[in-house]
Amino acid sequence: MNRSRSIRNKHFFVLICLSGIMLSVARRQMPNAEAPKLHLSEYGFFSGKLSNLAPAQRVYPYDVNAPLFSDYAVKARFFYLPERTKISLSDSLAWDFPEGSILIKNFFYPLDAGKPESGRRILETRLLLREEKGWKALEYLWNEDQDDATLEVAGAGFPVSWVGPDGKKKEIQYIAPNLNQCKGCHSYDGRFVPLGTSTRQLNRSVNGKNQLADWAEQGLLSSDHEFDPATLPQMVDYRLEHTTSAMLNEQARAYLDANCAHCHNPHGPAASSGMFLNIGELQPGRLGVNKPPVAAGRGSGRRKYGIVPGKPQESILVYRMESDDPGVRMPELGRQLPHKEGIDLIRSWIREMK
Amino acid sequence: MKPRIPQPLIAFLLFLYASLLTAQPDLEKQLQTRLILAEDGDVIELPAAKIELSNTLSIDAKKRITLRGAGQDKTLLSFKKQKQGAEGLKVTNSEDIVLENFTIEDAKGDLIKTQSVNKIVFRDITARWNGKPKKSNGSYAIYPVQCQNVRIERCTAIGASDAGLYVGQSDSVWITRCYAKNNVAGIEIENTTHAWVYGNFAAYNTGGILVFDLPDLPKKRGGHVKVWKNKVVQNNYRNFAPKGNIVGKVPPGTGIMVLATNHVEIHDNFIMDNRTASTAIVSYFITENKINDKEYNPYPSGIYVHNNVYSEGKRMPTWKNKLGFLFWLKFGRKVPHILYDGIQDPGHLPADGKMAPAARICIRDNENGSFANLKADKKFKGISRDLQPYQCDHEPIPFDPE
């Protein structure tokens, strides 16, 4: 569907009015900070054809151990590191990167997941910019021709379809978040923070080589650190087949950490719930074990406790993962489809829990 | 070059546009953009129109913002067709925010949630779910949580499947001249310190006004709550909360209930025709939930109920609730107005078996206020109707109008 045409069809004078407001708003914003670039291409993150996402100088791809589920969208992640700067590692939270750094996350669907040669459609690129005062998010929506992406402040919704690995056509109303919604997850004590770029997420082998070791060799990491990755924290990849119940536990905790703990931690937006799913949480009650809901409302689904050991079908956690109702489903943002593989993992984990 | 459009024409077109608004995504986007780009100190006016929204409207990290409608009967934010977001309007990490003069309805989750906001005013807002109250309605109509200095004035909340006006884990809260009806809980104060609830009208809910302290929360203790000069009338509505929620246990016919909170003063209220428990003072044990939280204190203490007026009207407890049914077995068609579960905090019981003065439950000078100690810890055996042990008083909880 061509969105620009449908917009053109609407009342012309409405557009004039809107642009009038936009201009006045934009003018007021200017003195505040460096104006965000209108197009993704202006940053020069990628060399050659933009949609090939081939990193330019000082732009480095990265991958994480436990990804956030986003309606089966695939993500291509990069960071841009300014010349003559280095990253300081931190053990528990996401890295704070030197000023001027930018995290670049591209969201796309393969046209046909069964046939990689069929190509892909890139939908959006989300940037996290490390400015002097802290982090800022910007979002760019790709055009139909896939030759550039344009700044979008207030988010957007549009239909997307693709063929899944099972050969079946999938279709959703894709929702690109507005900037406030970015912070709905990227928040720590009310400050904007990155999420996926923690040591335990990035301590991972990519193409046979550990990312951290690779970056250390290239001189991207500040040198007062020990770079034997084996001594650094590492999250397990929850997509692997588990072999022991200890591994199952680790995978479930990794999954919950990546998919829930950005809000459900003592410093996150869901701190008020008293349910903490961050990987460091050790108290069963705070994980939700036999914990009654606080403000779940109909999100409780007539179930009594967050987690009932041995009984996934009685656990609110599972109910909310399975729901597609905006007033019930968890996470609240960024997911419309149930994540079958994730649900299976959490179900097995609760089933084995004593 | 494009022709220049004279500014008066733009203004006129804007006016025309605003007056023609029905429900288009452009406006929703426009409004959200405005909220994101708002500068500290801005007043954002909502047009006199019905605005249909598909996603949460949000304000984050702003100072001194006013979001103002053209009136509760003129500006209508409808979330009937909401596709995403667990709230209608959401305000987070902000300071000095005023929301006023509009109606907001039919969100999939909560209608207005504010979190981590210091100084928030809700004024002249109607927050409602339309149609017959049902469990698929969202939880809270107006929901400040982890906020400081909260004022809710002249607001109306209707149809919440949990609580209409709900304040959680907050400090310094004023709720006044509000109307809560057809909610499970009309007004609920939870794990909140320094709350003043006065001059409100709570009617036709399952429970009128609830003051609760619950376990497993970051803010452990509420208390210092003063509830006075409210009209709490006919809160006999069936409990339509989804199961699993604590308010799902509130018996239809509850007027004012204090659960496990300390320092609560309830006085000069007019409490009429609440069939099951006009005023109840109970411990968390009454919920029969497990308690995992070691820091949690499940007992009410320092409660002072005085000078309230009770009616001789309906007092036939509900059968649709375990407790209500028990009351019916014990008291028949004349359930006492003031019920105390009688479960005492062993920590407050010195050797002589009498409660420490500061922790006592004091009940006196209530008009028509019949009483029972339910002896819930003795399996409701030996229920006592004697008010003599409760003829004491506490220092009145001071009212801080600022």
Side-chain angles (χ1 to χ4, degrees):
Chain A
M1 167 181 154
N2 188 329
R3 273 184 296 133
S4 58
R5 191 176 304 139
S6 68
I7 290 172
R8 218 176 294 136
N9 287 345
K10 288 200 178 133
H11 315 291
F12 182 62
F13 74 91
V14 169
L15 273 179
I16 296 175
C17 298
L18 291 180
S19 48
I21 302 171
M22 285 298 281
L23 277 178
S24 63
V25 168
R27 210 174 295 135
R28 300 190 49 190
Q29 271 310 99
M30 293 302 262
N32 255 354
E34 196 191 329
K37 300 189 194 318
L38 268 179
H39 297 102
L40 182 64
S41 55
E42 294 168 42
Y43 290 92
F45 292 139
F46 304 109
S47 55
K49 198 173 154 196
L50 195 67
S51 61
N52 286 345
L53 305 178
Q57 282 280 317
R58 301 295 291 177
V59 175
Y60 306 89
Y62 71 90
D63 197 6
V64 295
N65 285 319
L68 170 73
F69 172 73
S70 316
D71 287 337
Y72 294 102
V74 186
K75 299 163 197 173
R77 306 171 181 86
F78 303 87
F79 62 83
Y80 161 76
L81 193 63
E83 292 285 352
R84 291 180 295 279
T85 61
K86 287 174 191 289
I87 303 168
S88 309
L89 272 61
S90 51
D91 275 357
S92 57
L93 299 173
W95 299 348
D96 194 31
F97 287 87
E99 190 184 326
S101 301
I102 302 176
L103 306 181
I104 307 152
K105 199 148 112 181
N106 307 280
F107 288 67
F108 63 88
Y109 285 99
L111 297 180
D112 184 341
K115 299 182 200 128
E117 68 282 4
S118 68
R120 65 185 177 192
R121 179 177 169 201
I122 310 177
L123 301 170
E124 48 169 337
T125 296
R126 302 182 189 171
L127 302 184
L128 283 186
L129 298 90
R130 177 68 166 86
E131 297 186 332
E132 186 193 345
K133 284 186 193 157
W135 290 91
K136 182 174 97 179
L138 289 176
E139 142 133 320
Y140 292 84
L141 290 183
W142 284 70
N143 61 18
E144 206 71 27
D145 296 337
Q146 299 277 287
D147 57 11
D148 209 345
T150 309
L151 179 67
E152 176 58 70
V153 173
F158 44 89
V160 174
S161 64
W162 72 100
V163 177
D166 53 2
K168 287 189 187 141
K169 191 179 171 191
K170 317 269 177 195
E171 197 163 358
I172 58 166
Q173 175 74 11
Y174 189 86
I175 295 175
N178 67 50
L179 295 187
N180 281 353
Q181 288 172 322
C182 297
K183 201 176 162 195
C185 296
H186 286 268
S187 181
Y188 189 89
D189 285 339
R191 279 180 297 115
F192 206 113
V193 291
L195 294 169
T197 50
S198 60
T199 300
R200 60 173 182 272
Q201 277 281 23
L202 298 172
N203 190 0
R204 173 181 178 82
S205 273
V206 175
N207 301 328
K209 185 153 194 193
N210 183 284
Q211 287 181 130
L212 301 184
D214 186 19
W215 297 335
E217 268 176 43
Q218 295 185 54
L220 307 185
L221 307 184
S222 69
S223 53
D224 52 344
H225 263 272
E226 174 59 51
F227 287 115
D228 178 5
T231 65
L232 293 172
Q234 183 177 35
M235 245 172 174
V236 64
D237 188 334
Y238 65 73
R239 294 160 293 188
L240 305 173
E241 196 71 37
H242 67 268
T243 46
T244 62
S245 59
M247 182 170 171
L248 173 64
N249 181 51
E250 274 187 45
Q251 284 183 318
R253 293 301 302 268
Y255 184 85
L256 295 173
D257 188 89
N259 285 276
C260 317
H262 42 75
C263 289
H264 280 277
N265 77 74
H267 303 272
S272 58
S273 70
M275 185 177 190
F276 304 136
L277 298 169
N278 45 304
I279 213 156
E281 184 54 62
L282 298 172
Q283 286 184 41
R286 286 166 56 151
L287 273 174
V289 176
N290 293 324
K291 176 187 178 301
V294 178
R298 64 197 177 91
S300 69
R302 307 171 65 91
R303 301 178 185 190
K304 279 173 80 176
Y305 302 116
I307 293 174
V308 181
K311 295 179 178 163
Q313 73 284 2
E314 292 179 18
S315 303
I316 298 170
L317 178 66
V318 173
Y319 176 74
R320 302 194 80 163
M321 287 176 72
E322 288 174 341
S323 172
D324 60 2
D325 176 336
V328 172
R329 69 187 175 214
M330 286 283 161
E332 284 180 3
L333 295 174
R335 175 180 86 72
Q336 297 173 64
L337 301 173
H339 184 205
K340 189 180 173 303
E341 297 76 8
I343 293 165
D344 289 347
L345 172 67
I346 297 305
R347 279 180 158 271
S348 316
W349 177 60
I350 295 176
R351 202 175 297 119
E352 290 203 8
M353 197 184 275
K354 295 206 170 64
Chain B
M1 206 181 122
K2 284 181 191 167
R4 272 194 50 180
I5 301 165
Q7 284 203 344
L9 180 61
I10 293 182
F12 173 69
L13 288 174
L14 268 176
F15 170 76
L16 201 64
Y17 180 41
S19 57
L20 285 175
L21 293 173
T22 46
Q24 61 287 80
D26 295 327
L27 178 68
E28 174 170 8
K29 197 158 185 172
Q30 200 52 44
L31 191 51
Q32 182 59 69
T33 308
R34 183 74 183 86
L35 296 177
I36 289 172
L37 298 180
E39 288 187 19
D40 294 349
D42 277 1
V43 175
I44 298 162
E45 307 262 2
L46 297 166
K50 177 175 181 179
I51 306 170
E52 292 196 17
L53 298 122
S54 64
N55 199 341
T56 302
L57 273 182
S58 58
I59 297 174
D60 181 69
K62 303 286 182 195
K63 284 182 181 159
R64 302 187 310 282
I65 298 287
T66 298
L67 180 63
R68 180 182 296 149
Q72 290 171 84
D73 54 344
K74 295 194 174 67
T75 299
L76 174 61
L77 301 174
S78 169
F79 289 84
K80 187 103 197 146
K81 297 176 182 162
Q82 186 170 19
K83 296 275 183 304
Q84 210 199 18
E87 303 85 13
L89 174 62
K90 185 175 183 179
V91 184
T92 44
N93 309 308
S94 294
E95 207 178 308
D96 212 346
I97 303 291
V98 178
L99 310 172
E100 62 183 1
N101 292 334
F102 58 84
T103 290
I104 181 168
E105 61 183 30
D106 296 330
K108 293 284 181 278
D110 309 316
L111 281 165
I112 309 179
K113 179 176 181 179
T114 70
Q115 186 172 18
S116 303
V117 180
N118 183 11
K119 282 189 91 177
I120 170 94
V121 177
F122 303 84
R123 190 187 292 135
D124 296 310
I125 294 173
T126 298
R128 68 184 177 210
W129 283 271
N130 290 304
K132 206 174 166 206
K134 50 193 172 296
K135 67 169 190 276
S136 59
N137 287 357
S139 306
Y140 308 116
I142 292 182
Y143 175 24
V145 61
Q146 295 178 320
C147 291
Q148 294 87 43
N149 302 301
V150 177
R151 283 181 183 276
I152 308 178
E153 301 170 354
R154 299 192 303 260
C155 290
T156 302
I158 304 171
S161 69
D162 197 308
L165 306 172
Y166 173 96
V167 181
Q169 302 181 66
S170 293
D171 181 62
S172 300
V173 176
W174 294 261
I175 300 180
T176 185
R177 298 167 72 189
C178 292
Y179 178 31
K181 77 160 183 179
N182 287 165
N183 307 285
V184 174
I187 299 173
E188 183 173 349
I189 308 293
E190 190 177 288
N191 293 50
T192 287
T193 39
H194 308 105
W196 295 279
V197 180
Y198 57 106
N200 301 287
F201 185 40
Y204 323 117
N205 306 284
T206 305
I209 300 176
L210 314 181
V211 182
F212 282 18
D213 262 19
L214 300 181
D216 307 309
L217 291 175
K219 177 156 176 152
K220 289 291 167 199
R221 291 214 86 169
H224 303 276
V225 176
K226 190 175 171 84
V227 178
W228 79 105
K229 292 190 177 170
N230 300 285
K231 291 196 171 72
V232 184
V233 179
Q234 291 196 34
N235 291 289
N236 300 317
Y237 204 83
R238 76 193 156 81
N239 193 323
F240 60 100
K243 282 228 171 59
N245 290 282
I246 193 101
V247 295
K249 297 183 187 262
V250 172
T254 301
I256 299 177
M257 179 183 264
V258 177
L259 185 146
T261 314
N262 67 91
H263 302 296
V264 181
E265 186 183 10
I266 297 169
H267 68 95
D268 294 291
N269 297 286
F270 181 73
I271 305 170
M272 191 176 93
D273 292 348
N274 301 283
R275 63 186 285 193
T276 304
S278 289
T279 299
I281 303 155
V282 295
S283 65
Y284 188 76
F285 300 110
I286 211 88
T287 67
E288 298 178 278
N289 280 345
K290 295 174 195 168
I291 300 175
N292 304 313
D293 185 344
K294 291 186 182 68
E295 293 167 63
Y296 177 65
N297 184 321
Y299 307 93
S301 68
I303 310 295
Y304 191 17
V305 178
H306 64 97
N307 296 96
N308 299 290
V309 178
Y310 294 89
S311 74
E312 275 297 345
K314 282 185 196 164
R315 284 160 67 191
M316 162 77 184
T318 180
W319 288 4
K320 290 185 177 163
N321 174 283
K322 228 162 111 180
L323 277 176
F325 192 73
L326 179 95
F327 297 166
W328 178 75
L329 288 177
K330 299 285 179 188
F331 306 111
R333 304 169 62 86
K334 283 262 181 220
V335 66
H337 294 101
I338 305 170
L339 302 167
Y340 169 44
D341 73 356
I343 303 180
Q344 296 188 339
D345 183 350
H348 282 311
L349 282 177
D352 62 1
K354 283 190 184 145
M355 249 182 170
R360 290 185 70 179
I361 310 292
C362 298
I363 302 169
R364 61 185 297 173
D365 301 330
N366 296 291
E367 195 176 316
N368 266 330
S370 54
F371 167 82
N373 177 340
L374 298 171
K375 306 270 171 104
D377 51 342
K378 306 204 166 57
K379 298 190 174 164
F380 301 94
K381 295 219 165 68
I383 289 176
S384 158
R385 307 289 300 263
D386 181 11
L387 251 180
Q388 200 50 43
Y390 307 92
Q391 298 294 310
C392 52
D393 46 35
H394 290 294
E395 280 290 310
I397 289 174
F399 172 50
D400 178 359
E402 290 305 312

